[in-house]
Amino acid sequence: HMADERFSEGKRAFEEITGVPASAFLDSLATTAPEMGRFVMEWEFADVYGQTRLDARLREAVMIAACTARGATAAGVLRLRIGSALRAGLTRRAIADICVQTGIIAGVPAALAALQIAGEVFAETPEE
């Protein structure tokens, strides 16, 4: 079944990109909006990432910039994507620079909040 294949592909990509079990993400939405979890797996991780021409580092840089610009509403996703960016090979310095550069348009408070989240993720993540 095509929908099941997309869902399975999305879960595989989610786990590969984020290093987080897809079941943990899906379980967090199970009682409130399970269809949202499925949508994210199928659309974002199977469809969009499956067809992008961006390499993993550039894709994660875009995600960090977009989440930084969104501010507090994207804090949880930013935390996840900073981890994904590290997994993709972006350096801590590059991640910080993306937050600072995004602050030119999004504002200093958004950049500072993103840098605080980045610092927390860096502290939780061993350097390679």
Side-chain angles (χ1 to χ4, degrees):
H1 197 73
M2 186 164 175
D4 290 335
E5 289 176 24
R6 283 177 59 228
F7 185 59
S8 293
E9 176 58 25
K11 290 193 307 183
R12 186 205 58 73
F14 178 89
E15 290 176 351
E16 180 182 309
I17 291 165
T18 67
V20 174
S23 60
F25 176 79
L26 294 167
D27 288 349
S28 74
L29 295 168
T31 59
T32 54
E35 63 281 354
M36 184 65 178
R38 186 172 187 101
F39 175 74
V40 168
M41 292 301 156
E42 292 176 348
W43 181 69
E44 180 179 355
F45 287 93
D47 296 345
V48 175
Y49 287 162
Q51 297 180 23
T52 186
R53 285 151 198 70
L54 303 178
D55 66 26
R57 289 171 38 137
L58 183 54
R59 183 185 64 228
E60 295 307 326
V62 168
M63 294 300 288
I64 290 170
C67 288
T68 297
R70 294 292 305 157
T73 61
V77 176
L78 177 60
R79 173 177 290 285
L80 182 69
R81 300 326 293 237
I82 290 171
S84 298
L86 291 168
R87 290 173 55 82
L90 279 173
T91 65
R92 293 166 186 240
R93 182 73 251 163
I95 291 167
D97 287 349
I98 291 165
C99 296
V100 170
Q101 288 291 309
T102 303
I104 293 170
I105 300 299
V108 172
L112 290 173
L115 289 167
Q116 180 177 356
I117 291 169
E120 292 167 4
V121 173
F122 297 163
E124 298 164 0
T125 308
E127 288 193 62
E128 292 190 16

